[in-house]
């Protein structure tokens, strides 16, 4: 297909100092959760981004010195020659597709962990450590600053040696150079503190030093947080943020700008931000500098991208999450296949991987993080090894993805769905406040399935075991999902609390089924991710008087991993939801929930008109059990396997259901391996 000419502007080359990007698609730095221990996995992943058309591909944060380590999270290092060799794998993988490779040099200052190196933390002024509690960071003296500048230079030289085309000076996200910039953290009284000119000094020196070191071959980019969302207490886009850019306007070769503060500010989930939400903060930068500018905004719409360029907001389309959800986004636009873009849903499960110290995963893209260790490619999949006909029962995320990937392999697939729509749980969850983008999990798959002649979809088709037997298929996939529990069992309650609870309480399934709810509502959340908080919000919006009881010490506690917890609690408190923390369910009677304090055991009572239990889930396995109970009948009907997957096997995230569906499709008719994932073991050759 030919490219739509209105997108031509996205494919113009852009000069950045001494190098030229082949187009405007710029994969900004993002964590992989792989770091220096998994260089082959990282190289394969970044290489696929370049193959998919990203003209610039950046690494994750790359420490310039052992005084900045982020263990146990996955961070890169450029401390020695071994690091150079490891990083070169990524640089080479990016160059293999004609893209520019960028390295985000990093020093975390008071925001580093240093649990690995046990080096003292450094900061502009004595201050508490952000993460290494109960530790502190020590104020750098002049000798420290001079040494620090040397580390940046040495790391820049190593980055060039590894093959970098663009080298970063990273003054964002509350890391060391930003700590010098911000009046919140810089309390110095020497020439590096006080006036803005003084607080900018180190950043300016770093840019000049880096240019001196590598500037003849490499572009030097500055990543700057132009607003730290702290109001007058910090840097703001229309105050000192702008002044910093004005002071340094022509010094770097490229400006990579965003909102600073915690990482959660700039990679906000779709629940708390729209596509392009940073525009108001960063739009001024291009008016102040002639150098190219890049920013991010979860851009997945080609028209919005064109608007960014034609309206003069930025010169590139910066993207982290959209490039994770679809590494081939640029190529799809280039080939006139923009309808096939696997749009990021903004759920931030990718952020959770880094926050949990494990390799990247993505709800929309099951191949993300699996490029090297399982050999999965986002756009290529092995051809079918037989002419088997597969029945997939249930068109939730697991069933849809299994059908899509099986169909792409060339298998004959029949997908049967009990209800009148596809999507399963995402249809329900996307109806909750702020989660509408989640429906993209369904939409992306549904529209591709409709174009596949070898996949038949039957709605309103609740299948029984007899129905399945009669269909004459070779393999059966049961992806019938799960139901919310009614017995109170959740993360912190392991035993059922006796009969009767379910009769006095609703579950999220009942709420979605249209239960009549008003008055005093108690939501008991022992799941701790999105559901409890989102239901509170919906019911508060409907005018209910909502109390949220949780055994945790904060609302939606696990959402700290998706960088959403703060925003969820803030929103619910603003909407008048009353939280009760550190209490688990102890019993329910009509109209009264008894809870006990997890520390003292003291019992409290909470009156309600409606109680909603958001606890555990149970697999809907009736159909599976009925089938496997009759092996002779299965054999007589030619059914060679019955496999349950997704929530029907083990209720979990949408990301896990999609991954399970994809994995089934990849592994059908393939040899079974005892070691499904390759692991990198430093010191051993592969
Ligand atoms: P997952 O996340 O594992 O994909 P979901 O709960 O989102 O699970 O989706 C399961 C889907 O299976 C739902 O759309 C449900 O309507 C469908 N389903 C459940 N039982 C049957 C059945 N017996 N026949 C056909 N579809 C079914
Ligand atoms: Fe987007 Fe969610 Fe994938 Fe992250 S995990 S890239 S937010 S779809």
């Amino acid at each position: 297909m030919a490219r739509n000419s209105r997108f031509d502007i996205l494919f113009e080359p852009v000069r950045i100092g001494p190098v030229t990007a082949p187009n405007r698609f710029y994969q900004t730095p993002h964590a992989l959760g792989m770091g220096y221990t998994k260089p082959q996995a990282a190289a394969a992943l970044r290489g696929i981004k370049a193959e998919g058309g990203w003209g610039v591909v950046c690494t994750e944060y790359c420490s310039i010195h052992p005084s900045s380590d982020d263990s146990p999270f996955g961070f890169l290092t450029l401390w020695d020659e071994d690091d150079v060799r490891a990083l070169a794998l990524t640089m080479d993988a990016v160059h293999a597709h004609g893209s520019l490779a960028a390295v985000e040099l990093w020093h975390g200052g008071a925001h580093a962990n240093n649990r690995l190196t046990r080096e003292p933390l450094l900061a502009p002024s004595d201050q508490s450590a952000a993460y290494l509690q109960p530790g502190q960071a020590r104020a750098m003296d002049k000798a420290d600053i001079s040494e620090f500048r040397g580390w940046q230079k040495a790391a820049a030289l190593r980055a060039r040696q590894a093959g970098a085309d663009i080298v970063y000076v990273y003054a964002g996200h509350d890391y060391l150079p930003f700590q010098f910039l911000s009046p919140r953290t810089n309390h110095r009284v020497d020439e590096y503190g006080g006036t803005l000119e003084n607080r900018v000094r180190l950043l300016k020196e770093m840019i000049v030093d880096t240019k001196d070191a590598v500037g003849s071959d490499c572009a030097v980019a500055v990543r700057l947080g132009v607003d730290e969302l702290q109001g007058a207490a910090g840097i703001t886009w229309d105050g000192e943020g702008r002044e910093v850019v004005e002071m340094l306007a022509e010094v770097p070769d490229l400006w990579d700008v965003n909102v600073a503060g915690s990482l959660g500010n700039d990679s906000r989930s779709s629940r708390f931000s729209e596509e392009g939400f940073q525009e108001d903060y960063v739009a001024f930068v291009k008016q102040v500098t002639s150098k190219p500018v890049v920013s991010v905004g979860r851009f997945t719409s080609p028209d919005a991208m064109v608007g960014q360029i034609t309206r003069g907001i930025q010169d590139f389309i910066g993207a982290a999450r959209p490039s994770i959800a679809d590494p081939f986004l640029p190529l799809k636009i280039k080939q006139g296949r923009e309808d096939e873009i696997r749009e990021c849903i903004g759920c931030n499960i990718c952020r959770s991987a880094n926050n949990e110290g494990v390799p990247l995963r993505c709800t929309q893209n099951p191949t993300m993080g699996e490029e090297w260790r399982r050999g999965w490619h986002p756009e290529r999949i092995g051809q079918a090894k037989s002419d088997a006909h597969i029945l997939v029962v249930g068109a939730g995320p697991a069933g849809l993805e299994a059908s899509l990937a099986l169909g792409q392999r060339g298998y004959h697939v029949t997908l049967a769905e009990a209800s009148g729509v596809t999507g399963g749980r995402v249809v329900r969850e996307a109806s909750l406040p702020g989660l509408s983008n989640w429906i993209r999990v369904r939409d992306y798959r549904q529209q591709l399935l409709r174009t596949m002649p070898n996949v038949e979809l039957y709605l309103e088709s609740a299948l029984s075991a007899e129905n399945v037997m009669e269909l004459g298929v070779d393999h059966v996939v049961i992806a019938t999902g799960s139901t919310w529990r009614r017995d109170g069992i959740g993360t912190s309650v392991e035993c059922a609390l006796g009969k009767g609870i379910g009769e006095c309480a609703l579950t999220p399934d009942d709420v979605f089924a249209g239960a009549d709810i008003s008055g005093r509502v108690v939501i008991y959340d022992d799941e701790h991710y999105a559901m409890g908080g989102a239901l509170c919000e919906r019911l508060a919006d409907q005018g209910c008087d909502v109390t949220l009881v949780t055994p945790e010490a904060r609302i939606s506690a696990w959402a700290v991993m998706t960088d959403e917890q703060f925003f969820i609690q803030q929103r619910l408190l603003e909407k008048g939801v009353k939280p009760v923390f550190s209490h688990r369910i102890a019993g329910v009677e009509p109209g009264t929930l008894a809870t006990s304090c997890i520390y003292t055991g003291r019992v409290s009572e909470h009156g309600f008109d409606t109680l909603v239990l958001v606890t555990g889930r149970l697999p809907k396995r009736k159909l599976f059990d009925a089938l496997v109970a009759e092996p002779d009948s299965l054999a007589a009907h030619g059914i060679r396997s019955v496999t349950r997957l997704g929530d029907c096997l083990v209720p979990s995230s949408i990301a896990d259901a999609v991954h399970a569906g994809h994995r089934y499709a990849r592994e059908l008719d393939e040899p079974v391996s005892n070691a499904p994932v390759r692991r990198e073991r430093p010191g051993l050759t592969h």
Side-chain angles (χ1 to χ4, degrees), residues 393-398 416-418 424-425 461-463 479-482 620 623 646-647 657:
V393 186
E417 164 56 42
R425 61 182 285 191
S461 302
L463 298 190
T480 47
S482 63
K620 277 173 74 175
L623 177 59
D647 290 345

Side-chain angles (χ1 to χ4, degrees), residues 392-400 416-419 421-429 458 461-464 479-483 617 620 623 645-650 652-654 657-658:
V392 178
V393 186
L400 282 172
E417 164 56 42
S419 73
V421 293
T422 65
R425 61 182 285 191
V426 291
V427 176
R428 297 186 288 277
E429 291 172 32
Y458 296 96
S461 302
L463 298 190
S464 64
T480 47
S482 63
T483 49
R617 285 180 283 149
K620 277 173 74 175
L623 177 59
L645 48 85
D647 290 345
C648 175
L649 176 66
V650 55
S652 184
S653 63
I654 298 170
V658 170

Side-chain angles (χ1 to χ4, degrees), residues 181 183 196 199 226 234-245:
L181 280 182
L196 181 61
R199 284 181 275 125
V226 294
I235 302 254
T236 56
W237 69 271
D238 53 353
E240 289 192 338
R242 185 184 179 104
E243 287 177 56
V244 174
V245 183

Side-chain angles (χ1 to χ4, degrees), residues 563-642:
D563 294 339
E564 293 176 291
Q565 192 281 328
F566 176 88
F567 301 115
I568 294 173
Q569 187 152 339
Q570 180 184 52
R571 182 172 286 177
L572 294 190
L573 293 177
E574 277 168 359
K575 292 198 173 198
V577 172
K578 287 169 275 191
V580 176
F581 296 117
S582 306
H583 274 248
R584 70 165 70 96
I585 190 168
V588 184
E589 288 177 7
T592 309
L593 167 71
T595 61
S596 61
C597 170
I598 62 168
Y599 299 105
T600 65
R602 252 176 244 137
V603 174
S604 306
E605 294 197 336
H606 315 269
F608 63 78
D609 298 311
T610 301
L611 169 66
V612 184
L613 299 179
V614 183
T615 54
R617 285 180 283 149
L618 289 170
K620 277 173 74 175
R621 51 180 297 164
K622 210 167 122 196
L623 177 59
F624 175 81
D625 289 342
L627 287 167
V628 296
E630 301 204 43
D632 294 343
S633 187
L634 287 174
H637 288 88
I639 295 175
R640 284 148 52 195
S641 73
V642 179

Side-chain angles (χ1 to χ4, degrees), residues 180 186 189-202 247:
F180 270 83
N186 183 343
V189 291
D190 63 3
E191 67 266 37
Y192 288 96
T195 63
L196 181 61
E197 203 173 21
N198 283 352
R199 284 181 275 125
V200 162
R201 189 177 309 281
L202 180 63
M247 283 175 181

